[in-house]
Amino acid sequence: MALYRFKVIIEDNDDVYRDIDIKSAQTFEDLHNIIQEAFKFDNKHAASFFVSDDYWRKGLEITLRKEDLALTDEEVRLKVDPKKLMADSNIAKYIETPHQRFVYVFDENVQWTFLIEMMKIANEDAKAKYPLIAKSVGNPPKQYKQLNLIKDEDPADA
């Protein structure tokens, strides 16, 4: 079975990336879960993959949750292709070029955006369990930004 190696980069921060190996028959949900693990995120939010072109323009959406499958009125008006579900979407079905690209967006409030590019196709190692993190470069940012609130001291308390 074919094995895909994807480079996963946080948008605007190419100093932090992960190389992920995944079988061609595995799903986008498998890829979503290994990305969450690789960047130490908590996997508590909605997420979507978008099939992308060479310029990182988003195309077909592949979403995590069933409730996100419905198209908005605007998407219907624009005749956008129906969304797909990650659990039902094998990665191989969406590989159109040797350097296929995807955009992955996690947590609609924060809009974590990852750029994913297929780097190579190889043969799987029978002893390895896929998907796996093949290479890890840089420290991932914290998923949640913590605000340090400093209380002003009242001079009368001094």
Side-chain angles (χ1 to χ4, degrees):
M1 180 177 295
L3 179 75
Y4 299 141
R5 172 157 296 165
F6 289 104
K7 180 173 275 192
V8 181
I9 300 169
I10 297 176
E11 185 179 51
D12 299 329
N13 189 354
D14 52 1
D15 294 339
V16 178
Y17 69 89
R18 305 293 182 260
D19 285 351
I20 293 176
D21 290 349
I22 190 165
K23 293 178 185 179
S24 60
Q26 288 183 291
T27 67
F28 279 93
E29 186 173 34
D30 296 320
L31 184 56
H32 159 77
N33 289 330
I34 196 72
I35 291 171
Q36 292 291 302
E37 179 184 329
F39 286 92
K40 298 180 172 79
F41 283 3
D42 66 14
N43 204 359
K44 292 182 180 179
H45 304 280
S48 288
F49 288 93
F50 296 87
V51 178
S52 174
D53 63 13
D54 289 343
Y55 300 101
W56 299 108
R57 290 182 293 225
K58 296 176 186 175
L60 176 72
E61 182 175 356
I62 305 165
T63 189
L64 178 63
R65 302 183 312 195
K66 285 184 181 178
E67 57 267 26
D68 294 332
L69 287 174
L71 294 176
T72 65
D73 291 341
E74 179 69 8
E75 289 171 325
V76 170
R77 188 181 68 73
L78 294 172
K79 298 180 182 173
V80 171
D81 288 334
K83 298 174 187 176
K84 306 294 183 194
L85 194 62
M86 284 184 201
D88 299 336
S89 301
N90 287 2
I91 294 172
K93 182 177 178 182
Y94 299 93
I95 301 297
E96 299 168 356
T97 68
H99 290 281
Q100 181 64 55
R101 291 178 170 190
F102 301 99
V103 175
Y104 171 68
V105 179
F106 172 69
D107 188 349
E108 64 267 3
N109 294 326
V110 180
Q111 291 284 312
W112 286 106
T113 301
F114 297 81
L115 305 177
I116 302 170
E117 183 173 6
M118 188 166 69
M119 303 308 291
K120 71 177 184 177
I121 300 173
N123 293 319
E124 69 178 275
D125 178 351
K127 297 175 187 173
K129 184 176 180 231
Y130 297 101
L132 63 82
I133 303 161
K135 185 176 183 180
S136 185
V137 174
N139 293 321
K142 292 191 185 317
Q143 180 178 352
Y144 299 107
K145 308 254 189 285
Q146 293 181 344
L147 299 176
N148 293 327
L149 301 176
I150 300 171
K151 293 183 179 181
D152 291 333
E153 290 186 28
D154 185 350
D157 292 340

